[in-house]
Structure formats: C-alpha cells, structure tokens
Amino acid sequence: MKMAVETGTRTEVETRGLVDALDRILRQLISTPKFKETVITLLNAVDPPAARRLVRTIFWQDPGLLMSVLGTLPAILNTAFQALAEAAAQMNSMPAPLLQDLLHRIVEGLDGEALGEAAGGLAKMSLSLGLSEEGSGLRRSLSSLRGDFFSAFSAAMGDASLAERLSAWMAAAGERAKDKESSTYAFVQALRKALEKNPDFVKHVLQPLLELPAKSSTRKASTKSGETKPDASKPAAKKEG
C-alpha cells in the first residue's frame, strides 16, 4: 500500500510542469475579483487579424526561435487536446438548452472565411507531402495517430450515438446539396469532378464501400425466419403442363 502511494506521488511530481503551475496559480487567483476583471479585459482586447503578422514574425524574424517553437509544438497541441477533451466532457454534463445557447454564441462569432482558408491551405499542404509512399515515416505516424484517435472517439461517442448523428448529418447534407447556391452543392460538384479524373479510386475504394450495404441487405433477406435456401446440389423441379 505504501509503495502504491509513493508511486502515485512520484508520478504526480514528475508530471508537474508549466500547465500544473498555471493550474495551481489560477486556483488562487480566480477567487480574486480584480483578477477576473483583468482577464475579461485582456480577452476583450484579443485582435485576431494580428495573428497573421505574429506568425510571419515567428517564421522569418528568427529561424532559431522557429525551430524551438516547432520542437515544442507536439507538447503544445497535446495540452490543447487534453484541455479540449476535458472541456467536452464538462460541457456534456450541462443542460442541453444552456449548452446550445453557449455553442450558438461561440459559433456565431467564428470567422468562417479564415477557417476555410486555413483548411484549404492545410489540405493543399497534405496533398503535396507524398503520403502515398509506403516507406514514409509521416504516413506511419499519421496512421498511428488515426488509430488512437478513432479508438478514443468511438469510446467517447458510443457506436449507436455515432450512427444516429451521422445519419442526421447525412440527411441534412442531402437537403443542403439540393440548393445550387449552397457551399454543400459546390463541394459535391468539386468532388464529382475529382472522382471523374480518378477512376481507380472509384473502382477500388468507393465502389467496395458502397457495395457493403447492398451485400448486407441481400444476406439478411436470404436468412429471414421460415425461409430455406435452395439446395444447389439438386436440380430444379420441372414445371408440369
């Protein structure tokens, strides 16, 4: 028992760092009204457009600093992921109307144009990295990351819940795709053009995926209660008359 306590204490000490220090300091400061006023003032002074200039400064003003920042990027991102996971867990415990109102206010203030530009730039970058090469170290690390992600994602969502939400999303996407002025329609058309230029992808990836529901339905229909499969070893009986 003593050994277990010592191990737990040692692990806690070993994992202490910048975030742990920030947590302990914040616990003391958050009870101070003046501190909360200062935080709100600082948050209201955040200027998103200046972020581009900050990134350019980090990238080109001092290459040595850039390499140091990029070297710590996994730790920074993992910290953000852990914080996001805990935030999601806490938000799931909130009443649905309150959570919906909170998310509405958050989404309403997001810059969709900047988000689209960032997503497009990252997609363009990822497509130029040659991830189809079998020996790519980046491909192996992404594959491992994808496996861990979907394992934890499925555990958090639950299979039934995920299927229901995907079904609802597909139905909504289908409705939006009917509108030729919508971004969904534009995306579908772009995807169609890309598929036309890549018949191998359609044949070896898309078609096998689309055949799965049809095969499953056929199998279920042939094994309904009370039905028997014909014996292929016996010739079919001839009709009289």
Side-chain angles (χ1 to χ4, degrees), residues 161-213:
S161 179
L162 177 59
E164 292 171 1
R165 283 163 173 73
L166 283 175
S167 179
W169 173 81
M170 289 177 181
E175 287 296 322
R176 289 194 297 269
K178 294 178 182 179
D179 181 7
K180 293 186 178 182
E181 301 298 324
S182 69
S183 58
T184 304
Y185 176 85
F187 174 78
V188 171
Q189 295 305 310
L191 180 61
R192 178 183 61 81
K193 292 178 181 178
L195 292 175
E196 288 176 352
K197 296 179 181 179
N198 295 275
D200 286 342
F201 179 87
V202 174
K203 180 179 180 181
H204 300 294
V205 178
L206 195 58
Q207 286 183 351
L209 289 175
L210 293 176
E211 287 172 359
L212 286 176

Side-chain angles (χ1 to χ4, degrees), residues 31 90 137 160 169 194 214-216 222:
S31 59
Q90 296 301 324
W169 173 81
K215 289 181 178 179
S216 177
S222 64

Side-chain angles (χ1 to χ4, degrees), residues 11 16 31-32 39 54 70 80 104 117 128 132 148 151 159-160 163-164 182 194 196-197 202-203 213 228-229 231:
T11 303
R16 286 182 178 178
S31 59
T32 307
V39 169
L54 174 62
L70 292 180
H104 163 68
E117 183 181 348
S128 66
S132 59
D148 293 341
S151 176
D159 293 338
E164 292 171 1
S182 69
E196 288 176 352
K197 296 179 181 179
V202 174
K203 180 179 180 181
T228 56
K229 295 182 179 180
D231 190 346

Side-chain angles (χ1 to χ4, degrees), residues 7-22:
T7 303
T9 304
R10 184 167 60 252
T11 303
E12 183 180 352
V13 172
E14 289 174 351
T15 56
R16 286 182 178 178
L18 181 61
V19 178
D20 176 75
L22 179 62

Side-chain angles (χ1 to χ4, degrees), residues 50-183:
R52 290 176 178 267
R53 188 171 65 250
L54 174 62
V55 171
R56 287 195 296 269
T57 300
I58 293 175
F59 262 73
W60 304 114
Q61 195 71 26
D62 190 336
L65 176 61
L66 170 65
M67 298 307 296
S68 297
V69 171
L70 292 180
T72 60
L73 197 57
I76 294 173
L77 290 176
N78 286 336
T79 301
F81 296 158
Q82 292 282 358
L84 186 60
E86 184 59 29
Q90 296 301 324
M91 291 171 74
N92 276 322
S93 65
M94 297 172 62
L98 177 61
L99 180 59
Q100 186 177 23
D101 182 64
L102 174 63
L103 293 177
H104 163 68
R105 284 186 286 172
I106 293 173
V107 174
E108 190 178 33
L110 295 180
D111 187 343
E113 185 177 349
L115 179 60
E117 183 181 348
L122 290 173
K124 181 180 179 181
M125 179 191 70
S126 63
L127 291 173
S128 66
L129 291 175
L131 296 179
S132 59
E133 299 175 6
E134 291 291 341
S136 171
L138 179 58
R139 178 177 175 176
R140 290 195 300 272
S141 62
L142 286 174
S143 178
S144 176
L145 178 65
R146 182 173 63 248
D148 293 341
F149 171 85
F150 281 111
S151 176
F153 180 83
S154 297
M157 282 286 292
D159 293 338
S161 179
L162 177 59
E164 292 171 1
R165 283 163 173 73
L166 283 175
S167 179
W169 173 81
M170 289 177 181
E175 287 296 322
R176 289 194 297 269
K178 294 178 182 179
D179 181 7
K180 293 186 178 182
E181 301 298 324
S182 69
S183 58

